[in-house]
Amino acid sequence: MSFRIVRQSKFRHVFGQPLKREQCYDNIRITKNSWDSNFCAVNPKFLAIITEIAGGGAFLVLPLQKTGRLDVSYPQVTGHKGPVMDIAWCPHNDYVIASSSDDTLVRVWQIPEDGLVCPMTDPVVELAGHQKKVGLVQWHPSASNVLLSAGADCRILIWNIGTSELLSEITHPDIVFDCCWSWNGSCLATTCKDKKVRIYNPHSGEVVQEAMGHEGAKPQRIHYLRSGMIFTTGFSKMSERQYSLRKENELANPLCLEELDVSNGVMVPFYDPDVNLLYLSAKGDSNIRYFEITDKAPYVHYINTYQSTTPQRGMGMMPKRGCDISRCEIARFFRLLSSGFCEVLSFTVPRKSDKFQDDLYPLTLADMPAISAEEWAEGKDAEPLLVCLKDGCVPTQKQKLKVTKKSNILDKMASKKGEASSEPTFVKPEKNLEDLINELKTLQATALQHEKRIKELENKVESSCHALSEHTQILNNYEDTIDLLVDEV
């Protein structure tokens, strides 16, 4: 007789459930670009989706509460001249988003607090450093205003958004498929078209480790785990989809290398560093696999699979700050479907108690940076700041953007004396909704005055015409009298 030993785990019964249709988003013109991007980015305030538009590139930014069917004329961010390839929300400011495009430019946008009321075409910062299309943008996990961009010109550029300065440049041997910061941002892991996995020192651009990744020629994805291990997805020589787990100092010897199935879609990992759960999905797939990662063999433990009847075009994952802890929700995904529908999936752990579950919600990433861009440029690294979700995560106030040269326009750091940062530095756009309403009222009052003046002029013209008609009649009578006198003579 054989006994099946079930591995003990608090996540054995995690299950995903889609929200009702009226709680999702519909009538969205999702991009038809074939680039291997998620096409979607989400934070506790907004949902951003790359859309299809003629004559350039655009993406949609929706407040999370604006669910249901979307108006086709809803304003979008339309500043790029080429198709948008990737978008990423700033982890330290929920109103700032970066986008990269086929037009070789990286742009950073500030979204108004209530969302867009008109199309946005002017970015806060424009970064021109690449010579070919830019397919990837990623924010530094702990440093303020540090943004990474990777382009088809085989270069990785690291920027200080506050001053538009280039902090570091890495020349890659071939086209970059994917890259990811380590937990504290001290290392950078990349996958490449030459099938190799590399670890760089982002400050100096030097290669720290290098090894062969997956043997297949198709794109590989990579993710740095909190423990320092590296998770990759790729393909075998026989086009079988694989995943592997490696130590950062022993890249050539994977701790595990497993085959999943045979399919064309590139597996994209979504990682939850709080509880070490990892979700795998792919464009064209209709399922989401999720695993638990531990520090003991076999390291990657399969939990379950969410299955659907409709394949996805892309997917975005909500930060833990945006999950509903009252329902024991540990993850929330936004699936883009080819029909123009964005489905919201909620992954929960069933619990009978309605109290705060400490084991499900350890300290999570806060929305404040640990160091400044200047400190990072000087070689300093720091782990991200963490926050407890027990009493709810209170977001920091919206900052005001003051675009001045050589200044840190997105700075939210506290002063060196330990004082809290002063009044937030984000400003509202030049004309917000209230200003537009006041301007509209002024225009209406002016129009009424002009309308009254026009009526007065019309009355004067009418009176003048009437007087002219009377004078003309008198003149005609005089002419008739003169004609009679002439006939008599």
Side-chain angles (χ1 to χ4, degrees):
M1 182 181 294
S2 62
F3 295 92
R4 181 183 177 186
I5 301 176
V6 179
R7 176 178 169 270
Q8 293 295 325
S9 173
K10 57 191 171 187
F11 302 110
R12 277 179 52 201
H13 302 291
V14 171
F15 70 97
Q17 184 176 6
L19 301 187
K20 297 179 180 179
R21 191 173 186 88
E22 57 268 20
Q23 296 176 291
C24 300
Y25 309 84
D26 200 1
N27 197 33
I28 301 172
R29 296 184 60 187
I30 300 172
T31 179
K32 298 178 182 178
N33 199 323
S34 59
W35 184 253
D36 284 319
S37 173
N38 293 330
F39 301 143
C40 177
V42 63
N43 67 18
K45 297 286 185 182
F46 299 103
L47 167 66
I49 300 173
I50 301 176
T51 56
E52 188 76 14
I53 188 173
F59 60 93
L60 194 66
V61 177
L62 295 172
L64 288 184
Q65 65 271 17
K66 190 172 180 60
T67 55
R69 188 173 180 83
L70 191 69
D71 191 344
V72 293
S73 61
Y74 193 85
Q76 301 184 58
V77 180
T78 58
H80 284 287
K81 297 181 180 178
V84 177
M85 312 298 287
D86 194 23
I87 50 178
W89 287 104
C90 177
H92 309 130
N93 194 316
D94 290 339
Y95 299 93
V96 174
I97 187 171
S99 62
S100 64
S101 170
D102 191 71
D103 61 8
T104 74
L105 296 177
V106 176
R107 289 183 166 96
V108 179
W109 313 82
Q110 181 221 346
I111 305 302
E113 188 171 357
D114 298 325
L116 300 180
V117 294
C118 60
M120 181 175 287
T121 58
D122 297 324
V124 177
V125 180
E126 183 175 276
L127 306 174
H130 291 279
Q131 298 175 354
K132 294 184 179 180
K133 66 180 179 181
V134 187
L136 179 68
V137 285
Q138 280 193 8
W139 295 88
H140 193 281
S142 58
S144 171
N145 309 332
V146 176
L147 179 69
L148 174 150
S149 62
D153 54 359
C154 305
R155 291 194 303 157
I156 299 175
L157 305 181
I158 301 175
W159 306 87
N160 180 355
I161 300 303
T163 59
S164 301
E165 292 180 310
L166 185 63
L167 299 179
S168 179
E169 178 178 348
I170 299 173
T171 302
H172 216 258
D174 209 330
I175 295 178
V176 181
F177 280 151
D178 195 15
C179 63
C180 182
W181 295 97
S182 62
W183 174 249
N184 63 356
S186 60
C187 294
L188 189 67
T190 68
T191 57
C192 183
K193 192 176 181 180
D194 63 4
K195 306 179 186 179
K196 289 188 177 181
V197 177
R198 295 177 176 86
I199 298 178
Y200 287 91
N201 181 336
H203 298 284
S204 62
E206 298 177 353
V207 179
V208 179
Q209 289 283 331
E210 179 179 340
M212 285 298 298
H214 299 270
E215 296 179 342
K218 294 181 181 179
Q220 303 180 29
R221 289 299 188 106
I222 193 166
H223 207 96
Y224 235 120
L225 304 186
R226 185 171 181 173
S227 60
M229 292 190 290
I230 293 176
F231 186 90
T232 63
T233 62
F235 294 82
S236 67
K237 286 185 178 180
M238 305 301 293
S239 294
E240 296 169 319
R241 294 198 293 193
Q242 299 176 326
Y243 68 79
S244 71
L245 187 67
R246 309 163 190 258
K247 291 183 178 180
E248 58 183 346
N249 55 355
E250 297 179 9
L251 290 181
N253 301 313
L255 296 175
C256 68
L257 178 62
E258 299 291 338
E259 295 178 353
L260 287 172
D261 54 16
V262 179
S263 182
N264 293 325
V266 178
M267 300 294 293
V268 180
F270 294 90
Y271 177 59
D272 183 352
D274 301 339
V275 291
N276 276 324
L277 289 182
L278 192 136
Y279 305 80
L280 291 181
S281 71
K283 187 188 301 183
D285 281 11
S286 57
N287 52 35
I288 301 173
R289 299 178 177 92
Y290 40 104
F291 305 80
E292 183 179 4
I293 299 177
T294 61
D295 55 358
K296 296 181 180 180
Y299 301 103
V300 182
H301 305 271
Y302 171 77
I303 298 177
N304 207 341
T305 300
Y306 168 81
Q307 294 182 337
S308 174
T309 57
T310 52
Q312 59 227 11
R313 285 278 299 152
M315 194 166 73
M317 183 179 183
M318 172 71 76
K320 189 63 69 69
R321 293 184 292 114
C323 292
D324 186 358
I325 61 176
S326 64
R327 297 193 303 110
C328 295
E329 183 183 53
I330 60 171
R332 187 186 302 175
F333 290 95
F334 293 73
R335 292 179 68 233
L336 304 181
L337 310 183
S338 300
S339 61
F341 185 67
C342 178
E343 183 182 50
V344 183
L345 292 178
S346 176
F347 285 81
T348 57
V349 178
R351 293 285 173 91
K352 293 182 178 180
S353 174
D354 57 355
K355 295 182 180 180
F356 180 76
Q357 306 295 320
D358 298 292
D359 58 335
L360 298 182
Y361 301 103
L363 296 180
T364 189
L365 293 171
D367 61 344
M368 287 292 291
I371 57 175
S372 66
E374 290 74 20
E375 290 175 320
W376 185 87
E378 293 172 357
K380 183 178 180 180
D381 295 310
E383 292 196 353
L385 298 181
L386 303 178
V387 64
C388 180
L389 297 177
K390 185 173 183 178
D391 299 323
C393 182
V394 180
T396 56
Q397 294 181 353
K398 178 189 175 185
Q399 293 185 340
K400 299 180 179 180
L401 288 171
K402 293 182 179 179
V403 182
T404 55
K405 196 172 182 180
K406 298 292 183 181
S407 68
N408 201 338
I409 57 176
L410 303 178
D411 193 13
K412 291 170 55 172
M413 300 296 299
S415 63
K416 293 183 179 180
K417 295 181 180 180
E419 298 175 355
S421 58
S422 58
E423 187 69 16
T425 54
F426 269 48
V427 291
K428 294 182 179 179
E430 292 182 0
K431 290 184 178 180
N432 57 18
L433 183 59
E434 184 177 353
D435 293 337
L436 291 174
I437 292 175
N438 292 334
E439 185 176 344
L440 181 60
K441 290 180 179 179
T442 303
L443 290 174
Q444 288 177 342
T446 305
L448 289 175
Q449 292 178 357
H450 284 300
E451 184 178 358
K452 183 178 180 181
R453 178 64 178 165
I454 290 171
K455 288 183 178 180
E456 291 177 354
L457 292 174
E458 287 178 348
N459 292 333
K460 289 182 178 180
V461 170
E462 186 177 356
S463 300
S464 299
C465 291
H466 183 69
L468 180 62
S469 176
E470 291 180 351
H471 288 303
T472 303
Q473 183 64 35
I474 293 172
L475 182 61
N476 290 336
N477 293 337
Y478 281 135
E479 289 179 352
D480 293 341
T481 304
I482 292 172
D483 290 339
L484 289 173
L485 291 173
V486 170
D487 292 339
E488 289 178 358
V489 173

